[in-house]
Amino acid sequence: ACIPFLAETDLDAYFLPHSEVRELCIQAGMPAEKLIVSGMPVAARFLAPMDKAAARAALGLPADKKIYLIMTGGIGRRVPDENALLCVLPGRNEALRQALEDAYHGQGVLTVPFTNQVPAYMHAADVLLSKAGGISSSEAAMLGVPLVHTMAIPGVETENAAFFARHGLSFFARNVDEAARFADRLIYDPACVERMLTAQSARLPRDGAEQIAAAITAQ
């Protein structure tokens, strides 16, 4: 999105994730000649190839279960069935991790302490449920993960989730039940997954960091 204060700045250039955002910036009164559509800069480790089996083996995750990766703090429902594993990454919120561990231990839920292996967990997952942060959403899409955006903080996250859903890059859930339905659809509907992954690959440049670096060094 063109966030509200962006038009109040006066920079030499603005690197934007998509042509649609460029149009919004122009409508907000920003100079078109300064607006460069580069795509989001994503760390190389989110672009490195790794297949699902290798990722699960590296992380010690079961090879034969449907894995729901949750990076949004809460679960909101029981595990769908005995063939599923809910893998929860609450980041540095150890209190939340422990609360989830206490509530769901032995019920098909794995709570993961803070980890730098997020790309591997994304590779290992069959579906990712996450809030609509701009960087994390782009990382997931570049890596090629079926994505459900969960209930967003009103404002920029809402716009992020709406943008992704509008372009077929994710589903945007407005409540817990809808998030569960979307996640299950991506688990059990291969055609739906294929459409989403195709959209992710086609609509978001994978070389944003390189484009930004090249534009800056060319000055």
Side-chain angles (χ1 to χ4, degrees):
C2 178
I3 56 179
F5 68 80
L6 196 59
E8 300 174 7
T9 64
D10 183 19
L11 308 180
D12 295 309
Y14 301 82
F15 296 101
L16 304 174
H18 194 272
S19 58
E20 185 176 301
V21 181
R22 184 176 187 273
E23 293 304 313
L24 294 174
C25 290
I26 292 172
Q27 292 172 24
M30 298 177 67
E33 66 274 12
K34 291 186 176 183
L35 304 175
I36 302 170
V37 178
S38 60
M40 289 288 284
V42 172
R45 60 200 183 101
F46 286 94
L47 302 173
M50 178 185 291
D51 65 32
K52 186 176 296 184
R56 292 188 178 190
L59 296 169
L61 296 175
D64 59 344
K65 290 187 181 292
K66 300 294 185 182
I67 294 182
Y68 297 68
L69 179 61
I70 301 173
M71 295 176 58
T72 187
I75 295 177
R77 64 170 181 154
R78 297 293 179 178
V79 178
D81 56 52
E82 62 183 14
N83 192 41
L85 173 68
L86 301 191
C87 186
V88 186
L89 275 61
R92 296 186 184 275
N93 193 335
E94 177 58 22
L96 174 60
R97 191 200 69 79
Q98 190 59 57
L100 293 171
E101 179 70 17
D102 293 343
Y104 294 98
H105 180 73
Q107 300 179 46
V109 176
L110 173 67
T111 62
V112 181
F114 178 78
T115 177
N116 61 3
Q117 297 298 314
V118 173
Y121 278 100
M122 287 187 179
H123 276 295
D126 293 294
V127 63
L128 168 64
L129 296 94
S130 174
K131 292 200 301 179
I135 295 294
S136 58
S137 298
S138 298
E139 290 169 345
M142 299 297 175
L143 194 146
V145 183
L147 177 60
V148 177
H149 278 131
T150 54
M151 298 66 71
I153 297 173
V156 174
E157 282 194 0
T158 306
E159 293 299 320
N160 287 347
F163 173 91
F164 267 67
R166 184 165 62 250
H167 290 281
L169 311 173
S170 75
F171 285 132
F172 181 16
R174 268 67 174 187
N175 55 58
V176 171
D177 288 340
E178 196 168 61
R181 289 198 302 272
F182 284 148
D184 284 342
R185 182 176 177 187
L186 289 168
I187 287 284
Y188 295 107
D189 186 345
C192 181
V193 169
E194 182 64 27
R195 289 192 297 271
M196 183 176 290
L197 298 187
T198 297
Q200 290 177 353
S201 177
R203 294 185 179 274
L204 296 178
R206 294 175 57 85
D207 60 346
E210 289 83 355
Q211 288 198 47
I212 292 170
I216 292 172
T217 56
Q219 297 301 312

